[in-house]
Amino acid sequence: MKKKLLSYAAYLTIALPLGGVGGGLLTSCNDYLDVDAPSKSTVEFVYSMKSEVERALNGVYAQALVNNLYGDKYQNTFVLNSDVDISINASRTHSHTTYRRFDCDDQGGDILSFWTAAYNLIEYCNKFITYAEASPIYYVTDNDGEYELDGNGNKIADADMLQWIGEAKCLRAMAYHDLVVMFGDVPFTFEPTDLRGTETIPVADREDIQKALIADLQKAAPGMSSTASTTVERCSKEFAQGLIARIALTAGGYSLRPNKNDPRSYGFMKRPDNYQDYYRIAMDYADSVISSGTHQLRLSYQDVFVNECNYQVVNNDDPIFEIPFAKESTGNTGYIQGPTYNSYEGKTVGPWGKCGGSMQLNAFYRFLFRQGDLRREFVNGLWYYSYFTNADGALADSIYFRNDYYCHNNKWSKLWTAESSALGDITEGGTGINYPYMRYADILLMYAEAANELNGGPTAKAVQCLQTVHSRAFIDGDPDFITAAQASKEAFQKAVMDERKWEFAGENSRWRDLVRTNTYGEELVYSFLRYYAVGMNCGTGYEDDIVAHDSPDGTDYISDLPGMRVYYHTYNLEEANAYALRMFRAQLYGYHVDDGGNITQKYPNQSFQSLRIFNAYKSAGSAPITSQITRGGFSAQAWIPADMYAWFNENTGLPNDKCKYTFYGYIRCDDNGNLWIIRDGALTQFNSIPAASDLPPVRYILPYPNTVLQRAAGVYKNYYGY
């Protein structure tokens, strides 16, 4: 069949660097738009020259960078509520767009825009792969134009073409994998529209899609370059292998399946009978990445993300693939995360511009860490910035204590960017800060989880993998945790899931992990009950259950939270550094802790005021005495009291609506104080916590967009009660 000609206009490109260097610290690409490609060039022309193929591949990457896909919605809109990531919502009614609380429908515009962007990326990948594989420069030729052959008489594929095709296959697998996780069974094809035509793509079973993606990447990975010789801003052999492991682990785990005989049913949780086959694939390919020795965890946890905020690319450490956003053009990383920074008349006092801070953390997340975990103080942000007017009428920055139903996720922030690289005082999104779609820590923990499952308990290598991730977050390595984790298969599985909980906040991971392990419903119940119990001043009767679930050793943090009061004051950086040099025993990555247990924050950005917080994890009772203020050179200034968790409504005798309705589509409280679980759309009252096996599945699966259903003219159908 003669292939149709494809206009080169389809490949208007963003010129991202295809070259790279080996390990070490690099400055991220300058990232600029280049859309001057000749619009009349044909497929035959484009795929006859390597320089044009490179430009076409850049056009493929450009489709992944849009805000409707990985630039924003993947990082924010569709990170569903859990005990880690959260979007607080006080609405008492159903909404088209409340995806994160499991209450939406097919009218939601964000679903359509994400769906459209994902399939647009897939179409670009399908075109690139199809025409690149059929290109006359796919195989190596000699000076006479004859194909070069290997020892078996087979034509030798060009190394550059194999790498570029492998990159496109990785991007295609990313998009399909995320569609499957979010929507279940979805339309699936590897054929571009030019060859397939415009007929409706049939829906495929998710397991068939996952098998096809794994096989496709298995074929591509051997021909791809290592990150040791390229850059983590491009898809590499290690990323292809890691993506195989991620897809396989997902395929071997639980997922929500539709009950096609009952359209009202929300479905049922199931994993394939041959799930261990997928776990073995996951273990083997994670091991391939580990054995390559290309990546390590040498940098501190904080430095991984602060480097990204400063456009520094590190090829031999934790990041394996960073989505390469364009500075001042694409990506909202660091605008949607980090502390809020308000503007005045569209402008900020500092050169960083406005920060939205909409990607938030559960208010109780920080209480779920082990004592001494350095990630806790860096990630959980208890402050934000705004402006005030001086006596002379001039605007100035000020720092404020965050006393709310959530904390800020401080992994990324525009404010961590050095002043010399700041985007400008009138900017908002388009930060160009890379987002780590895959990290080496994930590879290590995937291996540990899979090996534990396949061997009926942790192997020595699985323990080593867990220890590598965990010890980075502790000054002493926290050996007691590693010892306890080896007690049994179940203990090790829990330790791995806990480690993932602490490690991947804000990386669209936690709810997916809970789905895969069929523990999402249980964790949502406890996530709701923490808000409800504290909002009721711990008078619910559920407090002992919460403590038993959160603290197996019986440590009761929850009872101290109602009416909790902390004290804080601001200080200047120079003052803090002087104090640190003289008084601090240990420098933590985000905070400093002194002998009295006072916590002080040293920000990655050194231009702002900082907060010194007294007793951030339990009620302080009374304000610190003067000596605790001035010790070590601090100036004597008044401590400011902040009452935390004042969520009880005196008028209704119940917690505020934000406690009652944030998990609306799965569990909620009504105006009479009754607690309800939602099962297949119906409310089921409970007075004691149901056993995990008795909980209904979580309807995390999103509906096909209504527009897509209409265009499909009955070929597609929504299930799961939509």
Coordinates of all heavy atoms in Angstrom, one line a residue, residues 569-639:
H569 N 8.1 33.1 65.4 CA 8.5 34.5 65.1 C 9.4 34.4 63.9 O 9.9 33.4 63.5 CB 9.1 35.2 66.2 CG 10.4 34.7 66.7 ND1 11.6 34.7 66.0 CD2 10.7 34.0 67.9 CE1 12.5 34.2 66.7 NE2 12.0 33.7 67.8
T570 N 9.6 35.6 63.3 CA 10.5 35.7 62.1 C 11.9 36.0 62.5 O 12.2 36.4 63.6 CB 10.0 36.8 61.1 OG1 10.0 38.0 61.8 CG2 8.5 36.5 60.7
Y571 N 12.8 35.7 61.6 CA 14.2 36.1 61.8 C 14.9 36.4 60.5 O 14.4 35.9 59.4 CB 15.0 35.1 62.6 CG 15.1 33.7 61.9 CD1 16.1 33.5 61.0 CD2 14.3 32.7 62.3 CE1 16.3 32.3 60.4 CE2 14.4 31.4 61.7 CZ 15.4 31.2 60.7 OH 15.5 30.0 60.1
N572 N 16.0 37.0 60.5 CA 16.8 37.2 59.3 C 17.8 36.1 59.1 O 18.2 35.5 60.0 CB 17.5 38.6 59.3 CG 16.6 39.7 59.4 OD1 15.5 39.7 58.7 ND2 16.9 40.7 60.2
L573 N 18.2 35.9 57.8 CA 19.0 34.8 57.5 C 20.4 34.9 58.2 O 20.9 33.9 58.7 CB 19.3 34.7 56.0 CG 20.2 33.6 55.5 CD1 19.5 32.3 55.7 CD2 20.6 33.8 54.1
E574 N 21.0 36.1 58.2 CA 22.3 36.2 58.9 C 22.2 35.8 60.3 O 23.1 35.2 60.9 CB 22.8 37.6 58.7 CG 23.1 38.1 57.3 CD 21.8 38.4 56.5 OE1 20.7 38.5 57.2 OE2 21.9 38.6 55.3
E575 N 21.1 36.2 61.0 CA 21.0 35.9 62.4 C 20.9 34.4 62.6 O 21.5 33.8 63.5 CB 19.7 36.6 62.9 CG 19.5 36.5 64.4 CD 18.3 37.3 64.8 OE1 17.3 37.3 64.1 OE2 18.3 38.0 65.8
A576 N 20.1 33.7 61.7 CA 19.9 32.3 61.8 C 21.3 31.5 61.5 O 21.6 30.6 62.2 CB 18.9 31.8 60.7
N577 N 22.0 32.0 60.6 CA 23.3 31.3 60.3 C 24.3 31.5 61.5 O 25.0 30.5 61.8 CB 23.9 31.9 59.1 CG 23.3 31.5 57.8 OD1 22.6 30.5 57.8 ND2 23.5 32.2 56.7
A578 N 24.3 32.6 62.1 CA 25.1 32.8 63.3 C 24.7 31.8 64.4 O 25.5 31.2 65.1 CB 25.1 34.2 63.8
Y579 N 23.4 31.7 64.6 CA 22.9 30.8 65.6 C 23.2 29.4 65.3 O 23.6 28.6 66.1 CB 21.4 31.0 65.7 CG 20.7 30.2 66.8 CD1 21.2 30.3 68.1 CD2 19.6 29.4 66.5 CE1 20.5 29.6 69.1 CE2 19.0 28.7 67.5 CZ 19.5 28.8 68.8 OH 18.8 28.0 69.8
A580 N 23.1 29.1 64.0 CA 23.4 27.7 63.6 C 24.8 27.3 63.9 O 25.1 26.2 64.4 CB 23.1 27.5 62.1
L581 N 25.7 28.2 63.6 CA 27.2 27.9 63.8 C 27.5 27.7 65.2 O 28.4 26.9 65.5 CB 28.0 29.1 63.2 CG 28.0 29.3 61.7 CD1 28.7 30.5 61.3 CD2 28.7 28.1 61.0
R582 N 26.8 28.3 66.1 CA 27.2 28.2 67.5 C 26.4 27.2 68.3 O 26.9 26.6 69.2 CB 26.9 29.6 68.2 CG 28.0 30.7 67.8 CD 27.9 31.8 68.7 NE 26.6 32.5 68.8 CZ 26.3 33.5 67.9 NH1 27.2 33.9 67.1 NH2 25.1 34.1 68.0
M583 N 25.1 27.0 67.9 CA 24.2 26.2 68.8 C 23.7 24.9 68.2 O 23.4 24.0 69.0 CB 23.1 27.1 69.2 CG 23.5 28.4 70.0 SD 24.3 27.9 71.6 CE 22.9 27.1 72.4
F584 N 23.5 24.8 66.9 CA 22.8 23.6 66.4 C 23.7 22.4 66.4 O 24.8 22.4 66.0 CB 22.3 23.9 65.0 CG 21.3 24.9 64.9 CD1 21.1 25.6 63.8 CD2 20.4 25.1 66.0 CE1 20.1 26.6 63.7 CE2 19.4 26.1 65.9 CZ 19.3 26.8 64.7
R585 N 23.1 21.3 66.9 CA 23.8 20.0 66.9 C 23.8 19.4 65.5 O 24.8 18.8 65.1 CB 23.2 19.0 67.8 CG 23.4 19.3 69.3 CD 22.7 18.3 70.1 NE 23.1 18.4 71.6 CZ 22.5 17.6 72.5 NH1 21.7 16.7 72.2 NH2 22.9 17.8 73.7
A586 N 22.7 19.5 64.8 CA 22.6 18.9 63.5 C 21.9 19.8 62.5 O 20.9 20.4 62.9 CB 21.7 17.6 63.6
Q587 N 22.4 19.9 61.4 CA 21.8 20.7 60.3 C 20.9 19.8 59.5 O 21.4 18.9 58.8 CB 22.8 21.4 59.4 CG 22.2 22.3 58.3 CD 23.3 23.0 57.5 OE1 24.3 23.4 58.1 NE2 23.0 23.2 56.3
L588 N 19.6 20.1 59.5 CA 18.7 19.3 58.7 C 18.5 20.1 57.4 O 18.7 21.2 57.3 CB 17.3 19.2 59.4 CG 17.4 18.5 60.8 CD1 16.0 18.2 61.3 CD2 18.2 17.3 60.8
Y589 N 18.0 19.3 56.4 CA 18.0 19.9 55.0 C 17.0 21.1 54.9 O 17.2 22.0 54.2 CB 17.6 18.8 54.0 CG 18.6 17.7 54.0 CD1 18.2 16.4 54.0 CD2 20.0 18.0 53.9 CE1 19.1 15.4 53.9 CE2 20.9 17.0 53.8 CZ 20.5 15.7 53.8 OH 21.4 14.7 53.7
G590 N 15.9 21.0 55.6 CA 15.0 22.1 55.5 C 15.0 23.0 56.8 O 14.8 24.2 56.7
Y591 N 15.1 22.4 57.9 CA 15.1 23.1 59.2 C 16.3 22.9 60.0 O 17.1 22.0 59.7 CB 13.9 22.5 60.1 CG 12.5 23.0 59.7 CD1 12.0 22.7 58.4 CD2 11.7 23.6 60.6 CE1 10.7 23.0 58.1 CE2 10.4 24.0 60.3 CZ 9.9 23.7 59.0 OH 8.7 24.1 58.7
H592 N 16.5 23.7 61.0 CA 17.6 23.5 62.0 C 16.8 23.2 63.3 O 15.8 23.8 63.6 CB 18.4 24.7 62.2 CG 19.3 25.1 61.0 ND1 20.3 24.3 60.6 CD2 19.2 26.1 60.1 CE1 20.9 24.9 59.5 NE2 20.2 25.9 59.2
V593 N 17.4 22.3 64.1 CA 16.8 21.9 65.3 C 17.8 22.2 66.4 O 18.9 21.7 66.4 CB 16.3 20.4 65.4 CG1 15.7 20.1 66.7 CG2 15.4 20.2 64.2
D594 N 17.4 22.9 67.5 CA 18.3 23.2 68.5 C 18.1 22.3 69.7 O 17.3 21.4 69.7 CB 18.2 24.7 68.9 CG 16.9 25.0 69.6 OD1 16.2 24.1 70.0 OD2 16.7 26.2 69.8
D595 N 18.9 22.5 70.8 CA 18.8 21.6 71.9 C 17.4 21.6 72.6 O 17.0 20.6 73.2 CB 19.8 22.1 73.0 CG 21.3 21.9 72.5 OD1 21.4 21.2 71.5 OD2 22.1 22.5 73.1
G596 N 16.7 22.7 72.5 CA 15.4 22.7 73.1 C 14.3 22.2 72.2 O 13.1 22.3 72.6
G597 N 14.6 21.7 71.1 CA 13.5 21.1 70.2 C 12.9 22.2 69.3 O 11.9 21.9 68.6
N598 N 13.4 23.4 69.4 CA 12.8 24.5 68.5 C 13.3 24.3 67.1 O 14.4 23.9 66.8 CB 13.3 25.9 69.0 CG 13.0 26.1 70.5 OD1 11.9 25.9 70.9 ND2 14.1 26.5 71.2
I599 N 12.4 24.5 66.2 CA 12.6 24.3 64.8 C 12.8 25.6 64.1 O 11.9 26.5 64.2 CB 11.5 23.4 64.2 CG1 11.4 22.1 64.9 CG2 11.8 23.2 62.7 CD1 10.2 21.3 64.5
T600 N 13.8 25.7 63.3 CA 14.0 27.0 62.5 C 14.3 26.6 61.1 O 15.0 25.6 60.8 CB 15.1 27.8 63.0 OG1 16.3 27.0 63.1 CG2 14.8 28.3 64.4
Q601 N 13.7 27.3 60.2 CA 13.8 27.0 58.7 C 14.9 27.8 58.0 O 14.9 29.0 58.1 CB 12.5 27.3 58.1 CG 12.4 27.1 56.6 CD 12.2 25.7 56.1 OE1 11.6 24.9 56.9 NE2 12.7 25.3 55.0
K602 N 15.7 27.1 57.3 CA 16.7 27.7 56.4 C 16.2 27.4 55.0 O 16.3 26.3 54.6 CB 18.1 27.2 56.6 CG 19.1 27.9 55.7 CD 20.5 27.3 55.8 CE 21.4 27.9 54.8 NZ 22.8 27.3 54.9
Y603 N 15.7 28.4 54.3 CA 15.1 28.2 53.0 C 16.1 28.0 51.9 O 17.2 28.6 52.0 CB 14.2 29.4 52.6 CG 13.0 29.6 53.6 CD1 12.3 30.8 53.5 CD2 12.7 28.7 54.5 CE1 11.2 31.0 54.3 CE2 11.6 28.9 55.3 CZ 10.9 30.1 55.3 OH 9.8 30.3 56.1
P604 N 15.8 27.3 50.9 CA 16.7 27.3 49.8 C 17.0 28.6 49.2 O 18.0 29.0 48.7 CB 16.0 26.3 48.8 CG 15.1 25.5 49.6 CD 14.7 26.4 50.7
N605 N 15.9 29.5 49.2 CA 16.1 30.9 48.7 C 16.5 31.7 50.0 O 15.8 31.6 51.0 CB 14.8 31.4 48.2 CG 14.8 32.8 47.7 OD1 15.2 33.7 48.4 ND2 14.5 33.0 46.4
Q606 N 17.5 32.5 49.8 CA 18.0 33.2 51.0 C 17.7 34.7 51.0 O 18.3 35.5 51.7 CB 19.5 33.0 51.0 CG 19.9 31.6 51.2 CD 21.4 31.4 51.3 OE1 22.2 32.3 51.4 NE2 21.9 30.1 51.4
S607 N 16.6 35.1 50.3 CA 16.3 36.5 50.2 C 15.0 36.8 51.0 O 14.7 38.0 51.2 CB 16.0 36.9 48.7 OG 17.1 36.7 47.9
F608 N 14.4 35.8 51.6 CA 13.1 36.0 52.3 C 13.4 35.9 53.8 O 14.3 35.3 54.3 CB 12.1 35.0 51.9 CG 11.5 35.2 50.5 CD1 11.9 34.4 49.5 CD2 10.6 36.3 50.3 CE1 11.3 34.6 48.2 CE2 10.1 36.5 49.1 CZ 10.5 35.7 48.0
Q609 N 12.4 36.4 54.6 CA 12.4 36.1 56.0 C 12.1 34.7 56.2 O 11.5 34.0 55.4 CB 11.3 37.0 56.7 CG 11.6 38.5 56.8 CD 10.5 39.2 57.6 OE1 9.4 39.0 57.3 NE2 10.9 40.0 58.5
S610 N 12.4 34.2 57.4 CA 12.2 32.8 57.8 C 11.4 32.8 59.0 O 11.3 33.8 59.8 CB 13.5 32.1 58.0 OG 14.3 32.0 56.8
L611 N 10.8 31.6 59.3 CA 10.0 31.4 60.5 C 10.8 30.5 61.5 O 11.4 29.6 61.1 CB 8.7 30.7 60.2 CG 7.5 31.6 59.7 CD1 6.3 30.7 59.5 CD2 7.2 32.8 60.6
R612 N 10.7 30.8 62.7 CA 11.2 30.0 63.8 C 9.9 29.5 64.5 O 9.2 30.3 65.1 CB 12.1 30.7 64.7 CG 12.7 29.9 65.8 CD 13.6 30.7 66.7 NE 14.4 29.9 67.7 CZ 14.6 30.3 68.9 NH1 14.2 31.5 69.3 NH2 15.3 29.6 69.7
I613 N 9.7 28.2 64.5 CA 8.5 27.6 65.1 C 8.8 26.8 66.4 O 9.8 26.0 66.4 CB 7.8 26.7 64.1 CG1 7.5 27.4 62.8 CG2 6.5 26.1 64.6 CD1 7.1 26.5 61.7
F614 N 8.1 27.1 67.4 CA 8.3 26.4 68.7 C 7.2 25.3 68.8 O 6.0 25.6 68.8 CB 8.2 27.4 69.9 CG 8.4 26.8 71.2 CD1 9.7 26.5 71.6 CD2 7.3 26.4 72.0 CE1 9.9 26.0 72.9 CE2 7.6 25.9 73.3 CZ 8.9 25.6 73.7
N615 N 7.7 24.1 68.9 CA 6.8 22.9 69.0 C 5.7 22.8 67.9 O 4.6 23.1 68.0 CB 6.0 23.0 70.4 CG 6.8 22.4 71.5 OD1 7.9 21.9 71.3 ND2 6.3 22.5 72.7
A616 N 6.2 22.4 66.7 CA 5.4 22.3 65.6 C 4.6 21.0 65.6 O 3.7 20.8 64.7 CB 6.2 22.4 64.3
Y617 N 4.8 20.1 66.5 CA 4.2 18.7 66.4 C 3.4 18.4 67.7 O 2.9 17.3 67.8 CB 5.2 17.7 66.1 CG 5.8 17.8 64.8 CD1 7.0 18.6 64.5 CD2 5.2 17.3 63.7 CE1 7.5 18.8 63.3 CE2 5.7 17.5 62.4 CZ 6.8 18.2 62.2 OH 7.3 18.4 60.9
K618 N 3.3 19.3 68.6 CA 2.4 19.1 69.8 C 2.1 20.4 70.4 O 2.8 21.4 70.1 CB 3.1 18.2 70.8 CG 4.4 18.7 71.3 CD 5.1 17.7 72.3 CE 4.2 17.5 73.5 NZ 4.9 16.6 74.5
S619 N 1.1 20.5 71.2 CA 0.7 21.8 71.7 C 1.8 22.3 72.7 O 2.3 21.6 73.5 CB -0.6 21.6 72.5 OG -1.1 22.9 73.0
A620 N 2.1 23.6 72.5 CA 3.2 24.2 73.3 C 2.8 24.5 74.7 O 3.7 24.7 75.5 CB 3.8 25.4 72.5
G621 N 1.5 24.6 74.9 CA 1.0 25.0 76.2 C 1.2 26.5 76.4 O 0.2 27.2 76.3
S622 N 2.4 26.9 76.8 CA 2.6 28.3 77.0 C 3.8 28.8 76.2 O 4.6 28.0 75.7 CB 2.9 28.6 78.5 OG 4.0 27.9 78.9
A623 N 3.9 30.1 76.0 CA 5.0 30.6 75.2 C 6.3 30.3 75.7 O 6.5 30.2 77.0 CB 4.8 32.1 75.0
P624 N 7.4 30.2 74.9 CA 8.7 30.0 75.4 C 9.2 31.1 76.2 O 8.7 32.3 76.0 CB 9.5 29.9 74.1 CG 8.5 29.6 73.0 CD 7.3 30.2 73.4
I625 N 10.1 30.8 77.2 CA 10.6 31.9 78.0 C 11.6 32.7 77.2 O 12.1 32.3 76.2 CB 11.2 31.3 79.3 CG1 12.4 30.4 78.9 CG2 10.2 30.6 80.1 CD1 13.1 29.8 80.1
T626 N 12.0 33.9 77.8 CA 12.8 34.8 77.0 C 14.2 34.2 76.7 O 14.7 34.4 75.6 CB 13.1 36.1 77.9 OG1 11.8 36.7 78.2 CG2 13.9 37.1 77.1
S627 N 14.7 33.4 77.5 CA 16.0 32.8 77.2 C 16.0 31.9 76.0 O 17.0 31.7 75.3 CB 16.5 32.0 78.4 OG 15.7 30.9 78.7
Q628 N 14.8 31.3 75.7 CA 14.7 30.5 74.6 C 14.6 31.3 73.3 O 14.7 30.8 72.2 CB 13.5 29.6 74.7 CG 13.6 28.5 75.8 CD 12.4 27.7 76.0 OE1 11.3 28.3 76.2 NE2 12.5 26.4 76.0
I629 N 14.3 32.6 73.5 CA 14.3 33.5 72.3 C 15.7 34.0 72.0 O 16.1 34.0 70.9 CB 13.3 34.7 72.6 CG1 11.9 34.2 72.9 CG2 13.3 35.7 71.4 CD1 11.0 35.3 73.4
T630 N 16.4 34.4 73.0 CA 17.6 35.2 72.8 C 18.8 34.2 72.8 O 19.9 34.7 72.4 CB 17.8 36.2 74.0 OG1 17.8 35.5 75.2 CG2 16.7 37.2 74.0
R631 N 18.7 33.0 73.2 CA 19.9 32.1 73.3 C 20.5 32.0 71.9 O 19.8 31.8 70.9 CB 19.4 30.7 73.7 CG 20.6 29.7 73.8 CD 20.1 28.4 74.4 NE 19.0 27.9 73.6 CZ 18.1 27.0 74.1 NH1 18.1 26.7 75.4 NH2 17.1 26.6 73.4
G632 N 21.8 32.1 71.8 CA 22.5 32.0 70.6 C 22.6 33.2 69.7 O 22.9 33.1 68.6
G633 N 22.1 34.3 70.3 CA 22.2 35.6 69.5 C 20.9 36.1 68.9 O 20.9 37.1 68.2
F634 N 19.8 35.3 69.0 CA 18.6 35.8 68.5 C 18.1 37.0 69.3 O 18.2 37.1 70.5 CB 17.5 34.7 68.7 CG 17.4 33.8 67.5 CD1 18.0 32.6 67.5 CD2 16.6 34.2 66.4 CE1 17.9 31.7 66.4 CE2 16.5 33.3 65.3 CZ 17.2 32.1 65.3
S635 N 17.6 38.0 68.5 CA 17.1 39.2 69.2 C 15.8 38.9 69.9 O 15.1 38.0 69.5 CB 16.8 40.3 68.1 OG 15.9 39.8 67.2
A636 N 15.6 39.6 71.0 CA 14.4 39.3 71.8 C 13.1 39.9 71.1 O 13.0 41.1 70.9 CB 14.5 40.0 73.2
Q637 N 12.3 39.1 70.6 CA 11.1 39.5 70.0 C 9.9 38.6 70.5 O 10.1 37.5 70.9 CB 11.2 39.5 68.5 CG 11.5 38.1 67.9 CD 11.6 38.1 66.4 OE1 10.6 38.3 65.7 NE2 12.7 37.9 65.8
A638 N 8.7 39.2 70.4 CA 7.6 38.4 70.9 C 7.3 37.2 70.1 O 7.4 37.3 68.9 CB 6.4 39.4 71.0
W639 N 6.9 36.1 70.8 CA 6.5 34.9 70.1 C 5.0 35.2 69.7 O 4.2 35.7 70.5 CB 6.6 33.7 70.9 CG 8.0 33.2 71.1 CD1 8.9 33.6 72.0 CD2 8.7 32.2 70.3 NE1 10.1 33.0 71.9 CE2 10.0 32.1 70.8 CE3 8.3 31.5 69.2 CZ2 10.9 31.2 70.3 CZ3 9.2 30.6 68.7 CH2 10.5 30.5 69.2

